[in-house]
Amino acid sequence: MKKDKRFKSVIGTVSNFFIFFLLAAFVTTCCIMLFISTLQESVGREFTQSEITLAAKITMVNVVLISACMAAIDYFRRKTTVERPVKKITDATSKMIEGDFSVRIEPIAKIGSDDSFNEIIECINKMAEELSGVETLRTDFVANVSHEMKTPLAVMQNYGQLLQAPDLPEEKRLEYARAITASSRRLADMMTNILKLNRLENQQIYPNLTVFDLGEQLCENLLSYESVWEKKNICIETELAEGVLVSADAELLSLVWSNLFSNAFKFTEEGGKVSLTLTADEAYATVKISDTGCGMTADIGAHIFEKFYQGDTSHATEGNGLGLALVKRVVDIMQGEIGVESAVGVGTTFTVKIRRNANEPEENG
Ligand code: ADP
């Protein structure tokens, strides 16, 4: 295969030389004929046959030598300025095709003002960097999903085995069946979240815009946690600006509020407080959801929007670390902003700012 390539390249070079030679021979012959006829006229004598033959031979040798030199120079120029960089690039891309995204191409020495190869190399290096990032995310994601699935599956397996014991008291049978149901629910929740996140991340989302009262949506969402706050004796405080109409995707936004409320109630101890405020100006609506829960350190706060990240392990079984990743993705789709302020032992406040009319262009500044 390599020999074949080399043979083709030699044939190419030789044919280049011949084309070059024929061209040079034609141009030179025309010049010489012109020169001889002008010379004959100005000197006033005809040249003999042998004089013309000698001149033709010398010209022929000159043309062959000059075109051979030119072809050789052209050959080396092509080798260094075209073939070498092309080989570097094709070698690197072949490695990427095989799945090695760690390759990077060294920039080549710039010759003259043409820097096109370095521009291509820069793009390929950037592409390799992006691809290796995506690959890491993919493998991390698979590892995380497998890890998260292991615990509930092990629980279901163990309790399933226990259920097979003969003469199991009714009370135990119910306990084991409940544990299996809870674990399968956890798995189902995780799968639902993964599918939602996958849809939000990988597909072109066209938000389904409708005009609705944001305050009403927040109240409805908050009320769905009534049984939780009553059980934990959590005090609720609300301060909602009235008549805040927004044009947004109600279903997507609802996902944001339910995740933030669910976290607020989950991380707040008995007797704590959860507050909700809604303010708005002409362009933006701002929602704050605060709690007097356990709070988090700045270190934890820096990672909470990452997939599968759980800073508080004491509540690990009540979630799967995907809630805030979903929230962040939705806020990004809505071109909004989300921020968090938290202090350990004091509480946490999430602030979400969204545009009231998703159709209008964003304001500068
Ligand atoms: P999970 O469903 O496991 O809670 P999330 O993505 O919703 O996952 O949250 C990720 C992490 O962010 C949690 O494990 C917790 O450490 C932290 N967190 C989120 N909300 C709060 C809150 N209101 N108070 C304290 N920590 C929080």
Side-chain angles (χ1 to χ4, degrees), residues 264-279:
F265 290 117
K266 183 162 75 183
F267 294 107
T268 303
E269 296 303 320
E270 285 214 29
K273 187 170 85 182
V274 168
S275 344
L276 163 69
T277 59
L278 165 65
T279 50

Side-chain angles (χ1 to χ4, degrees), residues 40-167:
Q40 279 182 152
E41 271 172 31
S42 60
V43 176
R45 87 168 173 93
E46 292 263 316
F47 289 119
T48 63
Q49 186 62 40
S50 61
E51 278 172 329
I52 291 177
T53 314
L54 181 67
K57 277 180 187 164
I58 292 173
T59 310
M60 175 74 181
V61 171
N62 276 339
V63 169
V64 171
L65 280 179
I66 291 169
S67 56
C69 275
M70 292 294 202
I73 292 170
D74 184 55
Y75 175 76
F76 286 112
R77 183 194 63 82
R78 274 165 48 87
K79 258 250 165 310
T80 48
T81 60
V82 181
E83 283 180 26
R84 249 180 236 165
V86 166
K87 187 167 175 339
K88 261 183 164 185
I89 291 171
T90 49
D91 283 353
T93 46
S94 306
K95 280 188 185 162
M96 281 185 223
I97 291 169
E98 283 159 20
D100 177 5
F101 299 122
S102 63
V103 292
R104 298 290 180 274
I105 315 170
E106 285 289 312
I108 49 165
K110 194 173 142 188
I111 294 173
S113 60
D114 186 16
D115 208 15
S116 323
F117 276 115
N118 278 335
E119 280 171 26
I120 297 173
I121 287 172
E122 201 182 314
C123 285
I124 292 179
N125 283 346
K126 267 190 198 151
M127 186 177 76
E129 215 168 283
E130 283 294 313
L131 284 173
S132 69
V134 171
E135 180 65 7
T136 317
L137 277 182
R138 193 181 67 83
T139 43
D140 280 2
F141 186 76
V142 172
N144 279 326
V145 171
S146 322
H147 178 77
E148 288 291 323
M149 281 174 81
K150 260 184 181 168
T151 322
L153 281 175
V155 171
M156 283 155 77
Q157 231 171 13
N158 288 341
Y159 283 110
Q161 259 166 4
L162 289 174
L163 271 177
Q164 290 168 24
D167 310 325

Side-chain angles (χ1 to χ4, degrees), residues 259 263-264 266-267 291 294-296 300 304 309-312 316 318-325 348 350:
N259 272 296
N263 278 346
K266 183 162 75 183
F267 294 107
D291 62 64
C294 58
M296 56 185 126
I300 293 178
I304 53 174
Y309 180 81
Q310 290 188 302
D312 180 295
E318 292 169 49
N320 41 45
L322 289 173
L324 289 181
T348 304
F350 279 94

Side-chain angles (χ1 to χ4, degrees), residues 133 217 333 346:
Q217 187 190 46
I333 289 173
V346 180

